[in-house]
Structure formats: structure tokens, C-alpha cells
Amino acid sequence: MDPFDVGAGGILRQPKAVWATAGASVVAFMGIGLVDPILPSIAKGLDASAGQVSLLFTSYFLITALAMLVTGFVSSRIGGRKTLLLGLAFVVVFAGLAGTSDTVGQLVGYRAGWGLGNALFVSTALAVIVGAAAGGSAAAILLYESALGLGMACGPLLGALLGDASWRYPFFGTAFLMAIGFMCITVFLKEQPRPARKTSLLDPIRALGHGGLASAAVSAFFYNYTFFTVLAFTPFVLNMTPYKSGAVFFAWGVLLAVFSVLVAPRMQRRFGSLKVLGGSLVLLAADVLVLGYGNHTAAIVCTILSGAFIGVNNTVYTELALGVSDAPRPVASAGYNFVRWFAAAAAPYFAPKIEEWTDVHVPFVVAAVTALLGAVVVVVRRRALTHDAEELEPKHASEDSVTVFAN
């Protein structure tokens, strides 16, 4: 059945509960890149350095990484609906408080609470959408993927539109939209069946004992350092108005979504997962080097182009992480993300520090090196990253990509 079919069970004929959860998911994913175009405005408004403002990403993703050990534990005990509402409540409260911040320290702290709420929400949303959807999982997964891509693309755009008036408005806007999502889920979503087995806090750590999953997580750790150097540090290098910066990262998000959902699976079928990932990591390394050493126009082009490589990498890493592990997918995903999100927390902190110690080019050199290290891990550990002694096939690329990214 065509998931786009407007008949019963198609993507456009879903229950209100599914649309409510998908709509809230768009806003949740918008929160990742929302602050990108307003980072310089926040630094100016709070009299803070680039390094201090970049901690908005560090606190957010550090809490997200730690929350990977908690989300499955919570949702398997209180149920998906209550977990979604708990996560949304955290986002509403802490995003609203972030807009009232008088110091960068307060803003960083509130952003950490926001990260906990987002982790609880997005790690549960896919399972809830699939459980409540009509016509099977295909249309539900496609709807969730669309929400992911739309959120990643529109987050910087919303941040620019609201942030042009004041850096505080994007935070208030997010709190308002998530409050609407909270009310919609309260009204339209019924409680979902709980898992037959409760998840332990240590299950994701135990899953990392598998050599293939551990190898994928380590390689993804290096790659994510590169990814979030681009996302968190580049706005200071571009030094553009919120509108222009938002447009750049909107285009970046569109490429990320298109290459993740449409291009990567086709490349995998033609060349194989490991070759695609290795090549994409090498190209990403070259891209960030040009970004760091090129002129302003080259920096803009390379920032946008990096979205294509990042989209491919996100999908292929998912195949590797979940295809080689014998653990249940939610548990394997949590263990994998527990490792890789630490790099997302580290890059926004270290990139400005490296600039202070050296110059503006060196953070991108480091980012290029970490991308290459990710490729080296793929090459050295290719046997551990191969399922059943054959090259991985992208059988479930769509489902796995949203599972790993969300978790």
C-alpha cells in the first residue's frame, strides 16, 4: 500500500492522536537548531563570549546523553502517553524560563532542563505514533520522518524570524507551541499499552558489550564532534544577521532531510553501507576544511553542503548500530546514543576554546580530523560492523534512522 494514499491508513488519513504527536515532534526537533541563528545575538544581549553561549548546546546534549539511560526506564513503567506529557511539560517550563534569563549561566541551566524534556519526548514519540497509527507502521514512520526533517529545517528559520526582534522570543515561542502540543496530546491521545518487559537503567550499557554496536558508537562519537562543530561554532564564523544565518541553516536542514530519507538508502543499495559511510566521512572532512579556510562565500556554501553528508551519515550509522546488535532496538539505540551524544556536548565547548588558544581555522582542522577518525574506525572495525559476514543492506533504513536519531 502506498503510504501517501489518501484512503484509510494512508499518511493523510491518520487519527487525531497521531497528528497531535507528529505536530509536537516537529516543534521538538526544531528546538535542536533553534538557537543557531541567534547565538551571536544572545552573546551580545547577555555580554557573553562565544564559548559561554556555545554551552547552550553542551548542557542540552550532555543531559540528552545521560537521559538515554532513563527514558526507556521511565516509559516502560508509566507508559508512553505520560512520558510524552512529562517531556512536554519540562520543555514548556524550561524553554519559557530560558527566555527570562538575565545571565548566560541561567540560560545554560534552563537549556539543560529543556534537553531532559526533549529526550523524554522524542525517545517515546515514534513508538506512540506507530502504536496509534491507522494502516500499519509504514505511513506512521514516514509521517515521523517528515516531522523530523521539517523540524530540523524550520528550527533555524523560526529562530531567525523571532530572534530578529529579540533573542528571547524564540524561547517563548517554543514554550507556547509545546504548550499547544501538550493540550492536544492530553485531549486526543489515549494511553498506549506498556512493554511486556520493563527496561533497566543498565540495559543500554550492557548492550554496548557487543563489539559491533560499540564500534558504531565510537565511530559515531567522532563523527558527531564534527557535526556539532558545524552546528554550534559556524554561526560565529559566518557572523551574519539572524535572518541570513537562519536562511543558511534552513537550506542546511533541507539537504539533511533529503539526503537522510531519500538519497542515503539508494546509495547504500548501490555501493554498500560501509563504503558509503567511509566516503561520506572523508568528504565531510574535506568540506569542513574548506569551510574553515575559505572566504565568506565558501563558508556559506560548505555549511549548507555539510547537511548532505550529515544526512547520509545519520542514516547509515543507524543501519550499522541496529543491524549488528542482538539487543532490542530501543535498548541498542539508547546505548549507541548514550555514547555519541557526549560528542555533541563536547564540540560546542571545545571549538571556541580551541579558537581562543590558536585561531579561527584550527577548530575546523580538529573537526576534519575527527571525521577522518570516524572513517578509520569504520575501516579497522569493518568485520565487527558487518552483519552475517556480508555488507549491510538498508532493509529498514527509514524506520531505523528515525529510531536512532530520536533516541
Side-chain angles (χ1 to χ4, degrees):
M1 180 180 64
D2 184 357
F4 285 105
D5 185 1
V6 296
I11 189 173
L12 301 179
R13 300 284 293 181
Q14 294 296 329
K16 293 179 181 178
V18 173
W19 285 112
T21 308
S25 298
V26 172
V27 183
F29 288 117
M30 285 169 59
I32 295 176
L34 181 80
V35 300
D36 248 27
I38 57 172
L39 286 176
S41 299
I42 294 173
K44 183 178 180 180
L46 295 178
D47 193 24
S49 67
Q52 290 174 316
V53 172
S54 293
L55 290 176
L56 293 175
F57 285 99
T58 296
S59 62
Y60 184 91
F61 287 112
L62 180 61
I63 296 301
T64 298
L66 295 174
M68 290 303 103
L69 304 179
V70 177
T71 53
F73 177 88
V74 172
S75 64
S76 65
R77 284 163 174 77
I78 69 174
R81 180 176 181 271
K82 291 179 181 177
T83 304
L84 288 180
L85 292 175
L86 180 62
L88 287 170
F90 270 104
V91 174
V92 170
V93 170
F94 285 103
L97 288 173
T100 68
S101 300
D102 294 320
T103 67
V104 70
Q106 289 178 353
L107 186 55
V108 169
Y110 293 144
R111 181 76 167 166
W114 183 348
L116 175 59
N118 225 42
L120 288 168
F121 177 84
V122 300
S123 65
T124 311
L126 177 61
V128 169
I129 289 176
V130 171
S137 62
I141 291 168
L142 184 59
L143 181 61
Y144 189 86
E145 285 181 328
S146 301
L148 188 157
L150 184 62
M152 288 294 291
C154 291
L157 198 60
L158 179 67
L161 292 174
L162 296 178
D164 188 60
S166 170
W167 65 263
R168 300 180 186 273
Y169 290 169
F171 298 108
F172 293 140
T174 300
F176 176 75
L177 292 174
M178 286 305 241
I180 294 176
F182 184 96
M183 290 186 289
C184 289
I185 289 175
T186 300
V187 173
F188 297 120
L189 181 64
K190 297 179 180 180
E191 185 56 80
Q192 304 295 297
R194 300 183 188 182
R197 177 182 175 275
K198 293 181 179 179
T199 301
S200 161
L201 289 174
L202 294 179
D203 281 351
I205 301 297
R206 296 190 184 102
L208 289 170
H210 187 281
L213 182 62
S215 299
V218 170
S219 180
F221 174 89
F222 289 122
Y223 152 66
N224 269 263
Y225 185 95
T226 308
F227 177 177
F228 286 95
T229 296
V230 173
L231 192 62
F233 184 65
T234 301
F236 293 103
V237 176
L238 297 179
N239 193 27
M240 303 166 73
T241 65
Y243 275 126
K244 291 181 179 179
S245 182
V248 168
F249 280 96
F250 173 75
W252 168 88
V254 169
L255 278 186
L256 187 154
V258 169
F259 274 75
S260 177
V261 176
L262 300 178
V263 178
R266 289 172 171 79
M267 293 179 65
Q268 286 177 275
R269 283 192 291 269
R270 180 170 182 178
F271 301 108
S273 296
L274 298 183
K275 290 180 181 178
V276 169
L277 181 59
S280 181
L281 287 168
V282 171
L283 290 174
L284 178 61
D287 181 80
V288 296
L289 274 180
V290 177
L291 195 165
Y293 281 93
N295 59 25
H296 193 258
T297 300
I300 292 173
V301 171
C302 288
T303 299
I304 295 172
L305 183 61
S306 70
F309 305 125
I310 288 168
V312 170
N313 292 339
N314 285 346
T315 294
V316 181
Y317 268 117
T318 300
E319 278 292 314
L320 298 180
L322 301 188
V324 299
S325 176
D326 52 3
R329 282 183 174 179
V331 174
S333 176
Y336 165 80
N337 282 284
F338 173 72
V339 174
R340 73 164 183 146
W341 284 127
F342 277 110
Y349 174 79
F350 283 110
K353 291 291 185 184
I354 293 171
E355 181 196 14
E356 292 176 10
W357 299 331
T358 54
D359 59 49
V360 72
H361 307 297
V362 177
F364 294 101
V365 174
V366 174
V369 170
T370 55
L372 292 176
L373 286 174
V376 169
V377 173
V378 170
V379 173
V380 173
R381 297 288 295 169
R382 60 187 179 277
R383 291 185 180 275
L385 290 169
T386 302
H387 186 53
D388 292 335
E390 294 180 0
E391 185 70 67
L392 286 167
E393 293 293 335
K395 298 177 182 177
H396 305 289
S398 298
E399 180 176 356
D400 291 343
S401 65
V402 293
T403 303
V404 167
F405 192 90
N407 281 305

